[in-house]
Amino acid sequence: MNPVIGLDISKGESQVQAFLDRGKPYRKSFEVDHTLEGLSSLVSFLEYVKQEAGKKPSVILESTGHYQTSVVQYLEERGYLLIIINPLISYKARGSSLRKVKTDAIDAYLLCELYYKEELEPYKRRGVQLLNLRNLTRQHENITGVMIQTKLQFQAVLEQVFPEYIGVFGDLYSVVSLLTLSKFPSSEDILKASEEAITDKIFEVCKSRSIKWANEKAIQLKAAAARNPFEKTVYQSHILSLGMYINILLQYKEHLSKLEAEIDALAKEIEEYNIIKSIPGIGEKIAATIISEIGEIDRFNHPKKLVAFAGVDPSVFESG
């Protein structure tokens, strides 16, 4: 016999259907919760199926983002062969079935039928190293996206308080620029302060540059304040918002710096990293993202399979 268990994964629970062999469904489908108690009962059922079929059953399920993570880890640690398929594959199979209704019980049943119809490759556990790298690169991408929105909001407020400040520093969002602005958030603050006080503040937050450079920036700030169309800050709420955005941006920069250090350290231990990084136009961050998202490269026995996995293969459309 060739037993299989179909799991239709959803948030917090799964529908379970067993087959002892092709065309031989075993018992009615049932639900299990994604808790220790629920997963333990699932393993007990799997062991019962093993006794009935004389062979340990394979387990087939769809990739559903993070919902299947606890189930996969629990079963993998207990030595079960897992087959995780792209939902598009099961969707096509469901479309060719006489049963068009979408129910968890039917989907678990169809997954079992699909197991016998298709040559499906078993799931290979990605190394913990690659999973950590993937988590870090995705977190970096998420924070970068939020930071971009914060920059836009920050600049919108700055343009209503001190637009001439933009351009004084080469990078408006550099640490020295943000810390200087937090100390002197308006043209009034710049004009009230002495050139020496501004120079000292800039030099204090940017030790990598000379005192002469700091003084040049102080002179530029004085000139920018004198040109500023907003002579007085009418809305103190803008000053409050500027300070808030500056603190948020500085925190994001610190988080991204830590993530980049961790990503670089992990990536350097992976052979493919330097190979991919050697391609013109691909830097450290992109190279680390590529290898973490691909995972175990030996899953693909042909370049075309990797191209299809990446979704960059061209499609041909015929007009009817």
Side-chain angles (χ1 to χ4, degrees):
M1 291 189 179
N2 184 17
V4 67
I5 304 294
L7 294 181
D8 187 73
I9 305 285
S10 57
K11 185 177 180 180
E13 62 184 22
S14 291
Q15 190 77 23
V16 184
Q17 175 65 60
F19 271 55
L20 295 180
D21 208 342
R22 179 189 291 268
K24 295 184 178 179
Y26 180 68
R27 295 189 176 181
K28 291 183 178 180
S29 66
F30 61 94
E31 288 183 355
V32 294
D33 294 329
H34 296 173
T35 61
L36 282 177
E37 182 180 358
L39 295 177
S40 177
S41 67
L42 174 60
V43 168
S44 297
F45 179 71
L46 294 179
E47 288 298 313
Y48 193 81
V49 172
K50 176 184 175 181
Q51 294 176 12
E52 288 289 309
K55 180 183 176 182
K56 204 169 190 176
S58 300
V59 179
I60 182 171
L61 61 147
E62 292 178 335
S63 176
T64 55
H66 61 279
Y67 291 155
Q68 84 273 6
T69 304
S70 59
V71 180
V72 169
Q73 182 176 331
Y74 194 87
L75 295 179
E76 188 182 36
E77 289 176 351
R78 286 154 181 79
Y80 285 94
L81 177 66
L82 300 174
I83 298 172
I84 303 178
I85 62 172
N86 189 313
L88 286 175
I89 296 175
S90 56
Y91 176 79
K92 290 178 181 178
R94 189 184 303 119
S96 63
S97 171
L98 292 176
R99 288 167 294 198
K100 301 293 184 180
V101 181
K102 169 70 173 79
T103 70
D104 293 343
I106 289 177
D107 286 341
Y109 192 101
L110 287 174
L111 285 171
C112 293
E113 290 187 330
L114 185 64
Y115 169 80
Y116 296 110
K117 291 178 181 177
E118 304 286 342
E119 292 184 7
L120 302 169
E121 294 185 3
Y123 164 79
K124 282 191 175 181
R125 183 176 185 269
R126 296 186 181 188
V128 173
Q129 186 182 44
L130 285 170
L131 286 174
N132 278 327
L133 187 60
R134 184 182 66 185
N135 291 337
L136 290 175
T137 54
R138 288 185 178 182
Q139 184 67 14
H140 188 284
E141 183 180 0
N142 290 338
I143 292 179
T144 300
V146 175
M147 188 175 181
I148 290 172
Q149 295 300 315
T150 305
K151 284 181 176 180
L152 294 174
Q153 294 165 346
F154 161 80
Q155 188 163 334
V157 175
L158 182 60
E159 288 173 349
Q160 299 175 69
V161 176
F162 195 176
E164 292 296 325
Y165 185 88
I166 301 171
V168 173
F169 293 92
D171 179 5
L172 174 62
Y173 303 102
S174 66
V175 173
V176 60
S177 173
L178 293 173
L179 289 177
T180 300
L181 187 60
S182 68
K183 180 67 176 178
F184 309 103
S186 70
S187 57
E188 293 174 85
D189 296 316
I190 293 290
L191 295 173
K192 287 178 182 178
S194 66
E195 183 180 307
E196 182 182 4
I198 299 172
T199 299
D200 290 343
K201 180 60 182 178
I202 294 174
F203 184 66
E204 176 190 332
V205 298
C206 189
K207 295 290 187 181
S208 61
R209 306 298 291 265
S210 66
I211 188 72
K212 180 181 178 181
W213 176 85
N215 182 246
E216 290 173 353
K217 292 301 174 185
I219 294 172
Q220 291 176 30
L221 277 175
K222 282 283 189 180
R227 296 192 307 269
N228 193 41
F230 297 100
E231 295 180 326
K232 292 184 178 181
T233 304
V234 178
Y235 302 105
Q236 287 301 313
S237 56
H238 287 337
I239 300 297
L240 182 65
S241 295
L242 271 183
M244 178 188 68
Y245 286 132
I246 288 171
N247 288 332
I248 292 173
L249 289 170
L250 288 171
Q251 289 177 22
Y252 283 156
K253 290 175 78 73
E254 183 180 354
H255 292 328
L256 288 175
S257 179
K258 289 180 180 179
L259 284 172
E260 287 161 5
E262 289 292 330
I263 288 170
D264 188 54
L266 273 175
K268 283 180 177 177
E269 298 177 2
I270 301 172
E271 182 181 359
E272 295 88 348
Y273 176 64
N274 289 324
I275 296 174
I276 296 177
K277 200 171 62 170
S278 67
I279 300 173
I282 295 184
E284 295 177 352
K285 172 64 172 55
I286 295 177
T289 301
I290 290 173
I291 60 175
S292 68
E293 292 297 336
I294 290 176
E296 301 291 351
I297 192 67
D298 59 3
R299 293 186 299 146
F300 308 97
N301 57 16
H302 194 280
K304 288 184 178 180
K305 290 190 175 181
L306 179 55
V307 170
F309 172 79
V312 294
D313 52 333
S315 300
V316 178
F317 295 92
E318 297 180 1
S319 58

